[in-house]
Amino acid sequence: MAMQGGTALQEKVSRMLSRKQKKPVLKPNKPLVLKDEVANRKIKKGEATCVTEMSMMMACWKQNNFVDTLCSNEMQSFYKCVEKAQIAVKDKSEQQTIGQSGRLQPKQATTLLKRYPNLHIEV
Amino acid sequence: MFIKQAEQLKLEKQHGQVDSGHQGVIRPGRVFLVRWSRYNPYYLEPEPRKEVYHIPETELTPEQKEERELKSVRPIKAATNSVTSSVFNDPVLSKFVNMMMKDGDKIIAKGIITQTLENMKRKQVEKYHKAPEGKKAEIECNPYAIFHQALENCKPVIGLASIQKGGKFYQVPIPLTDNRRRFLAMKWMITECRDNKHRRTLMYEKLSQELLAAFSKEGNVVKRKHELHKMAESNRAYAHYRWW
Protein backbone atom coordinates (compact mmCIF):
# COMPACT_ATOMS: atom_id res chain seq x y z
CA MET A 1 0.00 0.00 0.00
CA ALA A 2 2.80 2.36 0.89
CA MET A 3 4.80 1.23 -2.16
CA GLN A 4 1.83 2.03 -4.47
CA GLY A 5 1.54 5.44 -2.89
CA GLY A 6 5.31 5.83 -3.27
CA THR A 7 5.36 5.03 -7.00
CA ALA A 8 2.38 7.30 -7.70
CA LEU A 9 4.18 10.19 -6.03
CA GLN A 10 7.38 9.51 -7.96
CA GLU A 11 5.47 9.39 -11.25
CA LYS A 12 3.87 12.72 -10.48
CA VAL A 13 7.24 14.25 -9.61
CA SER A 14 8.86 12.93 -12.79
CA ARG A 15 5.95 14.40 -14.81
CA MET A 16 6.47 17.76 -13.11
CA LEU A 17 10.17 17.66 -13.94
CA SER A 18 9.86 16.50 -17.55
CA ARG A 19 10.23 18.82 -20.54
CA LYS A 20 8.24 16.57 -22.92
CA GLN A 21 4.72 17.95 -22.51
CA LYS A 22 5.23 21.59 -21.61
CA LYS A 23 7.54 23.70 -19.50
CA PRO A 24 8.74 21.83 -16.38
CA VAL A 25 6.83 22.84 -13.25
CA LEU A 26 9.74 22.01 -10.94
CA LYS A 27 13.29 23.23 -11.47
CA PRO A 28 15.08 22.01 -8.35
CA ASN A 29 18.55 23.34 -7.61
CA LYS A 30 19.12 20.67 -4.90
CA PRO A 31 18.20 16.97 -5.03
CA LEU A 32 14.62 16.29 -3.92
CA VAL A 33 15.53 14.45 -0.70
CA LEU A 34 13.85 14.87 2.72
CA LYS A 35 16.00 15.81 5.73
CA ASP A 36 16.55 13.50 8.69
CA GLU A 37 14.88 15.98 11.03
CA VAL A 38 11.62 17.84 11.63
CA ALA A 39 11.43 21.58 12.35
CA ASN A 40 10.73 22.59 15.97
CA ARG A 41 7.77 24.89 16.03
CA LYS A 42 4.95 25.98 18.32
CA ILE A 43 1.75 26.54 16.42
CA LYS A 44 0.06 28.71 19.05
CA LYS A 45 1.66 32.11 19.56
CA GLY A 46 1.65 33.07 23.26
CA GLU A 47 0.53 36.39 24.69
CA ALA A 48 2.07 38.85 27.11
CA THR A 49 1.57 37.86 30.78
CA CYS A 50 1.11 40.20 33.75
CA VAL A 51 0.25 43.24 31.62
CA THR A 52 -2.45 44.44 34.04
CA GLU A 53 -0.12 44.23 37.03
CA MET A 54 2.56 46.03 35.09
CA SER A 55 0.23 48.83 34.03
CA MET A 56 -1.04 49.25 37.61
CA MET A 57 2.51 49.51 38.86
CA MET A 58 3.40 52.02 36.18
CA ALA A 59 0.35 54.14 36.99
CA CYS A 60 1.43 54.14 40.64
CA TRP A 61 4.94 55.21 39.59
CA LYS A 62 3.56 58.01 37.45
CA GLN A 63 1.54 59.29 40.39
CA ASN A 64 4.35 59.09 42.92
CA ASN A 65 7.14 60.31 40.66
CA PHE A 66 8.89 56.89 40.58
CA VAL A 67 9.51 56.63 44.31
CA ASP A 68 9.62 52.90 45.08
CA THR A 69 8.58 52.87 48.73
CA LEU A 70 5.07 54.19 48.04
CA CYS A 71 4.39 51.58 45.33
CA SER A 72 5.49 48.51 47.26
CA ASN A 73 2.05 46.83 47.15
CA GLU A 74 1.80 47.00 43.39
CA MET A 75 5.39 45.83 43.02
CA GLN A 76 4.76 42.82 45.26
CA SER A 77 1.68 41.85 43.26
CA PHE A 78 3.71 42.22 40.04
CA TYR A 79 6.45 39.92 41.36
CA LYS A 80 3.88 37.33 42.42
CA CYS A 81 2.24 37.46 39.01
CA VAL A 82 5.62 37.00 37.32
CA GLU A 83 6.42 33.99 39.52
CA LYS A 84 3.06 32.41 38.75
CA ALA A 85 3.57 33.00 35.03
CA GLN A 86 6.99 31.32 35.13
CA ILE A 87 5.60 28.27 36.96
CA ALA A 88 2.73 28.09 34.46
CA VAL A 89 5.17 28.11 31.53
CA LYS A 90 7.23 25.33 33.11
CA ASP A 91 4.15 23.20 33.80
CA LYS A 92 2.87 23.75 30.29
CA SER A 93 6.14 22.73 28.66
CA GLU A 94 6.32 19.66 30.95
CA GLN A 95 2.75 18.68 30.05
CA GLN A 96 3.51 19.09 26.35
CA THR A 97 6.53 16.81 26.52
CA ILE A 98 4.47 14.12 28.30
CA GLY A 99 1.14 14.32 26.43
CA GLN A 100 1.03 14.24 22.62
CA SER A 101 -2.74 14.07 21.72
CA GLY A 102 -2.28 11.74 18.74
CA ARG A 103 0.67 13.51 17.19
CA LEU A 104 4.40 13.06 17.66
CA GLN A 105 6.29 15.98 19.20
CA PRO A 106 8.89 17.43 16.79
CA LYS A 107 11.77 16.31 19.02
CA GLN A 108 10.44 12.75 19.20
CA ALA A 109 10.00 12.65 15.42
CA THR A 110 13.57 13.86 14.94
CA THR A 111 14.93 11.16 17.28
CA LEU A 112 13.10 8.46 15.37
CA LEU A 113 14.23 9.76 11.99
CA LYS A 114 17.85 9.94 13.17
CA ARG A 115 17.73 6.26 14.03
CA TYR A 116 17.02 5.38 10.40
CA PRO A 117 18.66 8.15 8.41
CA ASN A 118 18.86 8.58 4.65
CA LEU A 119 21.83 6.71 3.19
CA HIS A 120 24.00 9.16 1.33
CA ILE A 121 27.09 6.96 1.04
CA GLU A 122 26.98 3.64 -0.75
CA VAL A 123 28.86 1.18 1.42
CA MET B 1 46.46 29.29 29.18
CA PHE B 2 48.73 26.47 28.06
CA ILE B 3 50.71 26.67 31.28
CA LYS B 4 47.55 26.23 33.30
CA GLN B 5 46.51 23.28 31.19
CA ALA B 6 49.91 21.68 31.72
CA GLU B 7 49.59 22.22 35.46
CA GLN B 8 46.12 20.73 35.41
CA LEU B 9 47.41 17.67 33.61
CA LYS B 10 50.25 17.33 36.08
CA LEU B 11 47.84 17.50 39.04
CA GLU B 12 45.63 14.84 37.56
CA LYS B 13 48.66 12.68 36.96
CA GLN B 14 49.59 12.94 40.63
CA HIS B 15 46.11 12.21 41.92
CA GLY B 16 44.98 10.04 39.07
CA GLN B 17 41.51 9.64 40.55
CA VAL B 18 39.32 12.17 38.72
CA ASP B 19 35.93 11.14 37.39
CA SER B 20 36.03 13.32 34.30
CA GLY B 21 33.09 13.43 31.93
CA HIS B 22 34.72 10.79 29.71
CA GLN B 23 33.56 7.20 29.70
CA GLY B 24 36.51 5.02 30.43
CA VAL B 25 38.67 3.30 32.95
CA ILE B 26 40.38 5.49 35.52
CA ARG B 27 43.89 4.16 35.93
CA PRO B 28 46.14 5.77 38.56
CA GLY B 29 49.07 7.63 37.05
CA ARG B 30 47.30 8.05 33.69
CA VAL B 31 47.03 11.62 32.36
CA PHE B 32 43.51 12.93 31.59
CA LEU B 33 42.45 16.20 29.97
CA VAL B 34 40.07 17.82 32.42
CA ARG B 35 39.84 21.42 31.27
CA TRP B 36 36.58 21.06 29.32
CA SER B 37 35.10 18.05 31.07
CA ARG B 38 31.72 18.24 32.78
CA TYR B 39 30.19 16.51 35.74
CA ASN B 40 27.71 13.74 35.03
CA PRO B 41 24.18 15.07 35.66
CA TYR B 42 23.63 12.69 38.58
CA TYR B 43 26.24 14.46 40.68
CA LEU B 44 24.60 16.57 43.40
CA GLU B 45 25.53 20.07 44.56
CA PRO B 46 27.50 20.34 47.83
CA GLU B 47 25.87 21.95 50.88
CA PRO B 48 28.41 24.26 52.57
CA ARG B 49 26.15 25.75 55.26
CA LYS B 50 26.71 24.36 58.74
CA GLU B 51 23.16 24.97 60.05
CA VAL B 52 21.77 22.32 57.74
CA TYR B 53 23.85 19.62 59.42
CA HIS B 54 23.09 20.77 62.97
CA ILE B 55 19.35 20.04 62.69
CA PRO B 56 18.65 16.97 64.86
CA GLU B 57 17.12 13.87 63.24
CA THR B 58 13.68 14.40 64.74
CA GLU B 59 13.13 17.88 63.33
CA LEU B 60 13.73 17.01 59.70
CA THR B 61 10.83 17.40 57.27
CA PRO B 62 10.06 14.45 54.95
CA GLU B 63 11.66 16.27 51.98
CA GLN B 64 14.84 16.84 53.95
CA LYS B 65 14.92 13.18 54.95
CA GLU B 66 14.53 12.19 51.31
CA GLU B 67 17.30 14.56 50.35
CA ARG B 68 19.62 13.06 52.95
CA GLU B 69 18.91 9.54 51.72
CA LEU B 70 19.59 10.62 48.17
CA LYS B 71 22.86 12.23 49.22
CA SER B 72 24.03 9.02 50.86
CA VAL B 73 23.70 7.19 47.53
CA ARG B 74 24.71 9.71 44.87
CA PRO B 75 28.15 11.24 44.37
CA ILE B 76 28.60 14.95 45.15
CA LYS B 77 30.50 17.57 43.16
CA ALA B 78 33.64 19.10 44.65
CA ALA B 79 32.99 22.52 46.20
CA THR B 80 34.67 25.44 44.45
CA ASN B 81 37.40 27.43 46.16
CA SER B 82 35.17 30.44 46.71
CA VAL B 83 32.57 28.53 48.75
CA THR B 84 33.26 28.06 52.47
CA SER B 85 31.24 27.03 55.49
CA SER B 86 32.40 30.01 57.56
CA VAL B 87 30.01 32.66 58.89
CA PHE B 88 31.64 35.24 56.64
CA ASN B 89 30.74 33.44 53.42
CA ASP B 90 28.34 35.66 51.49
CA PRO B 91 27.29 34.48 48.01
CA VAL B 92 26.17 37.96 46.91
CA LEU B 93 29.45 39.51 48.02
CA SER B 94 31.43 36.72 46.31
CA LYS B 95 29.52 37.37 43.09
CA PHE B 96 30.30 41.09 43.39
CA VAL B 97 33.99 40.34 43.92
CA ASN B 98 34.03 38.07 40.87
CA MET B 99 32.37 40.74 38.75
CA MET B 100 34.89 43.31 39.85
CA MET B 101 37.82 40.97 39.16
CA LYS B 102 40.02 41.68 36.14
CA ASP B 103 42.27 39.08 34.47
CA GLY B 104 41.60 36.55 37.19
CA ASP B 105 43.20 38.70 39.90
CA LYS B 106 40.86 37.92 42.78
CA ILE B 107 43.34 39.16 45.41
CA ILE B 108 43.11 42.75 44.21
CA ALA B 109 39.32 42.61 43.83
CA LYS B 110 38.84 41.11 47.30
CA GLY B 111 41.25 43.70 48.72
CA ILE B 112 39.26 46.53 47.18
CA ILE B 113 36.02 45.17 48.62
CA THR B 114 37.54 44.76 52.08
CA GLN B 115 38.84 48.32 51.98
CA THR B 116 35.41 49.51 50.80
CA LEU B 117 33.65 47.81 53.70
CA GLU B 118 36.17 49.20 56.17
CA ASN B 119 35.80 52.67 54.70
CA MET B 120 32.00 52.49 54.92
CA LYS B 121 32.22 51.35 58.53
CA ARG B 122 34.54 54.22 59.42
CA LYS B 123 32.25 56.80 57.82
CA GLN B 124 29.17 55.40 59.52
CA VAL B 125 30.86 55.22 62.93
CA GLU B 126 31.98 58.82 62.53
CA LYS B 127 28.42 59.84 61.71
CA TYR B 128 27.20 57.78 64.67
CA HIS B 129 29.43 59.56 67.15
CA LYS B 130 28.59 62.98 65.77
CA ALA B 131 24.84 62.38 65.77
CA PRO B 132 22.60 63.55 68.63
CA GLU B 133 21.25 60.93 71.06
CA GLY B 134 17.85 60.55 69.39
CA LYS B 135 19.27 59.86 65.92
CA LYS B 136 21.93 57.36 66.97
CA ALA B 137 19.72 54.29 66.66
CA GLU B 138 18.82 55.05 63.03
CA ILE B 139 22.39 55.02 61.71
CA GLU B 140 23.31 51.64 60.24
CA CYS B 141 26.88 50.71 61.05
CA ASN B 142 27.10 47.16 59.72
CA PRO B 143 28.83 47.46 56.29
CA TYR B 144 27.40 44.13 55.08
CA ALA B 145 23.87 45.30 55.79
CA ILE B 146 24.59 48.58 54.00
CA PHE B 147 25.97 46.68 51.00
CA HIS B 148 22.91 44.43 50.75
CA GLN B 149 20.42 47.24 51.19
CA ALA B 150 22.24 49.44 48.66
CA LEU B 151 22.20 46.62 46.12
CA GLU B 152 18.48 46.07 46.75
CA ASN B 153 17.85 49.75 46.15
CA CYS B 154 19.72 49.58 42.84
CA LYS B 155 17.86 46.58 41.41
CA PRO B 156 15.48 47.48 38.56
CA VAL B 157 11.96 46.04 38.63
CA ILE B 158 11.34 45.73 34.87
CA GLY B 159 13.74 45.76 31.98
CA LEU B 160 13.54 46.57 28.29
CA ALA B 161 13.93 44.09 25.44
CA SER B 162 14.48 44.91 21.77
CA ILE B 163 11.67 43.13 19.89
CA GLN B 164 11.24 43.24 16.14
CA LYS B 165 7.74 43.81 14.81
CA GLY B 166 6.92 44.74 11.26
CA GLY B 167 10.47 45.58 10.31
CA LYS B 168 11.06 47.96 13.21
CA PHE B 169 12.64 47.31 16.59
CA TYR B 170 10.70 48.42 19.67
CA GLN B 171 11.91 48.67 23.28
CA VAL B 172 9.35 46.49 25.07
CA PRO B 173 9.06 46.42 28.89
CA ILE B 174 9.58 42.86 30.19
CA PRO B 175 9.74 41.34 33.69
CA LEU B 176 13.26 40.34 34.73
CA THR B 177 14.42 37.28 36.67
CA ASP B 178 16.02 37.77 40.09
CA ASN B 179 19.44 36.81 38.80
CA ARG B 180 19.22 39.32 35.96
CA ARG B 181 18.17 42.10 38.34
CA ARG B 182 21.01 41.36 40.73
CA PHE B 183 23.47 41.24 37.85
CA LEU B 184 22.27 44.59 36.46
CA ALA B 185 22.51 46.28 39.88
CA MET B 186 26.09 45.04 40.36
CA LYS B 187 27.09 45.87 36.80
CA TRP B 188 25.76 49.40 37.05
CA MET B 189 27.53 49.92 40.36
CA ILE B 190 30.88 48.74 39.03
CA THR B 191 30.75 50.63 35.72
CA GLU B 192 29.64 53.79 37.45
CA CYS B 193 32.53 53.59 39.90
CA ARG B 194 35.03 52.87 37.14
CA ASP B 195 33.92 55.60 34.74
CA ASN B 196 32.64 58.59 36.67
CA LYS B 197 35.39 59.28 39.11
CA HIS B 198 38.08 61.83 39.59
CA ARG B 199 41.50 60.70 38.37
CA ARG B 200 42.96 60.69 41.88
CA THR B 201 40.17 58.91 43.79
CA LEU B 202 40.80 55.24 44.40
CA MET B 203 38.23 52.59 43.59
CA TYR B 204 37.38 51.70 47.19
CA GLU B 205 36.76 55.33 48.05
CA LYS B 206 34.40 55.86 45.11
CA LEU B 207 32.66 52.53 45.76
CA SER B 208 32.03 53.36 49.40
CA GLN B 209 30.59 56.75 48.39
CA GLU B 210 28.30 55.15 45.83
CA LEU B 211 27.16 52.38 48.16
CA LEU B 212 26.32 54.83 50.94
CA ALA B 213 24.45 57.02 48.45
CA ALA B 214 22.53 54.00 47.13
CA PHE B 215 21.74 53.01 50.71
CA SER B 216 19.98 56.34 51.15
CA LYS B 217 18.48 56.11 47.63
CA GLU B 218 20.49 58.92 46.09
CA GLY B 219 23.36 58.84 43.66
CA ASN B 220 23.94 57.93 40.03
CA VAL B 221 23.14 54.22 40.16
CA VAL B 222 19.69 54.74 41.62
CA LYS B 223 19.19 57.53 39.09
CA ARG B 224 20.03 55.07 36.31
CA LYS B 225 17.49 52.60 37.69
CA HIS B 226 14.82 55.34 37.75
CA GLU B 227 15.66 56.27 34.17
CA LEU B 228 15.15 52.66 33.11
CA HIS B 229 11.79 52.63 34.89
CA LYS B 230 10.82 55.88 33.15
CA MET B 231 11.75 54.44 29.74
CA ALA B 232 9.69 51.33 30.46
CA GLU B 233 6.77 53.47 31.61
CA SER B 234 6.89 55.59 28.47
CA ASN B 235 6.95 52.42 26.32
CA ARG B 236 4.12 50.67 28.16
CA ALA B 237 1.98 50.72 25.00
CA TYR B 238 4.33 48.15 23.44
CA ALA B 239 3.89 45.70 26.31
CA HIS B 240 1.65 43.51 24.16
CA TYR B 241 4.48 42.84 21.70
CA ARG B 242 5.77 40.27 24.18
CA TRP B 243 4.76 36.66 23.55
CA TRP B 244 5.87 35.10 26.80
Side-chain angles (χ1 to χ4, degrees):
Chain A
M1 195 250 287
M3 284 309 292
Q4 272 180 9
T7 41
L9 186 65
Q10 281 182 357
E11 277 168 18
K12 180 167 180 184
V13 166
S14 60
R15 247 181 294 134
M16 287 162 95
L17 286 169
S18 75
R19 293 162 193 251
K20 286 201 185 139
Q21 272 127 42
K22 39 180 188 169
K23 278 192 175 171
V25 175
L26 292 177
K27 286 188 267 190
N29 54 354
K30 286 179 279 191
L32 296 174
V33 178
L34 291 175
K35 281 198 276 189
D36 291 326
E37 57 192 15
V38 173
N40 268 328
R41 67 184 193 116
K42 262 193 310 195
I43 317 157
K44 276 178 295 175
K45 198 174 164 194
E47 49 173 55
T49 49
C50 301
V51 182
T52 41
E53 313 282 332
M54 202 197 291
S55 47
M56 270 177 56
M57 193 172 62
M58 289 185 173
C60 175
W61 276 345
K62 203 68 189 273
Q63 275 178 358
N64 299 332
N65 195 21
F66 294 93
V67 176
D68 285 334
T69 41
L70 302 166
C71 296
S72 53
N73 287 338
E74 277 88 355
M75 281 176 26
Q76 288 304 318
S77 62
F78 179 65
Y79 288 147
K80 277 187 204 144
C81 176
V82 165
E83 257 188 70
K84 268 190 263 182
Q86 276 179 340
I87 296 168
V89 162
K90 243 194 229 177
D91 285 339
K92 205 175 171 195
S93 68
E94 217 176 297
Q95 194 240 345
Q96 264 184 359
T97 47
I98 293 167
Q100 325 152 8
S101 70
R103 236 185 179 209
L104 268 184
Q105 299 293 324
K107 289 198 179 131
Q108 293 168 336
T110 314
T111 333
L112 280 173
L113 286 169
K114 290 250 186 252
R115 284 191 202 163
Y116 301 98
N118 281 331
L119 303 169
H120 57 98
I121 299 172
E122 211 180 270
V123 176
Chain B
M1 194 253 286
F2 289 62
I3 302 169
K4 281 186 190 161
Q5 193 169 7
E7 278 181 326
Q8 197 110 26
L9 289 174
K10 246 199 294 183
L11 276 172
E12 298 323 316
K13 196 169 178 181
Q14 284 166 14
H15 297 293
Q17 276 287 338
V18 165
D19 181 18
S20 56
H22 310 293
Q23 300 291 322
V25 177
I26 303 167
R27 275 178 244 129
R30 177 97 196 270
V31 170
F32 287 100
L33 288 168
V34 288
R35 177 176 276 277
W36 305 114
S37 58
R38 291 164 66 176
Y39 276 114
N40 195 308
Y42 62 56
Y43 275 66
L44 302 171
E45 296 288 334
E47 180 61 71
R49 295 172 299 160
K50 273 190 217 164
E51 309 88 55
V52 175
Y53 300 109
H54 285 325
I55 310 170
E57 280 284 330
T58 46
E59 284 176 35
L60 291 172
T61 59
E63 294 101 26
Q64 282 177 323
K65 282 194 181 131
E66 256 185 67
E67 240 187 272
R68 290 239 176 144
E69 276 171 30
L70 192 65
K71 285 207 169 184
S72 62
V73 188
R74 293 257 197 100
I76 301 182
K77 296 184 195 177
T80 49
N81 280 336
S82 53
V83 158
T84 44
S85 58
S86 82
V87 285
F88 303 112
N89 183 26
D90 188 2
V92 177
L93 202 61
S94 314
K95 186 63 83 177
F96 194 75
V97 169
N98 286 339
M99 283 183 67
M100 186 170 274
M101 174 165 67
K102 277 186 178 178
D103 297 330
D105 211 337
K106 181 114 80 163
I107 304 169
I108 294 183
K110 186 89 174 103
I112 293 172
I113 300 290
T114 333
Q115 285 170 324
T116 313
L117 295 169
E118 191 194 324
N119 201 323
M120 282 202 293
K121 177 93 186 188
R122 279 181 192 274
K123 286 185 186 168
Q124 290 296 91
V125 167
E126 200 185 318
K127 255 183 20 189
Y128 180 85
H129 287 305
K130 285 185 184 163
E133 280 305 322
K135 308 268 180 168
K136 282 205 178 191
E138 289 160 7
I139 297 176
E140 176 68 58
C141 280
N142 182 2
Y144 295 97
I146 298 174
F147 175 77
H148 285 123
Q149 186 56 45
L151 221 56
E152 273 295 324
N153 291 347
C154 292
K155 284 187 188 176
V157 180
I158 29 173
L160 292 171
S162 198
I163 291 184
Q164 192 185 27
K165 188 122 175 158
K168 272 174 76 178
F169 286 89
Y170 298 97
Q171 294 293 317
V172 173
I174 57 164
L176 298 168
T177 56
D178 275 331
N179 278 343
R180 178 77 186 154
R181 291 166 59 217
R182 188 185 68 172
F183 167 77
L184 280 173
M186 291 191 197
K187 186 84 181 170
W188 289 343
M189 181 66 75
I190 292 172
T191 38
E192 210 276 315
C193 290
R194 279 183 185 160
D195 301 336
N196 304 346
K197 65 179 165 104
H198 192 71
R199 186 182 64 89
R200 293 287 298 263
T201 41
L202 296 175
M203 182 68 173
Y204 73 84
E205 176 63 45
K206 175 76 183 171
L207 236 193
S208 60
Q209 286 169 8
E210 275 307 315
L211 283 169
L212 284 170
F215 180 69
S216 39
K217 302 208 181 157
E218 312 151 344
N220 283 345
V221 195
V222 176
K223 198 172 91 167
R224 187 164 172 180
K225 173 186 92 151
H226 284 321
E227 270 167 23
L228 182 65
H229 285 178
K230 279 175 196 163
M231 272 286 285
E233 205 273 330
S234 68
N235 282 4
R236 67 182 186 277
Y238 301 134
H240 289 278
Y241 287 1
R242 210 166 23 116
W243 60 86
W244 66 94

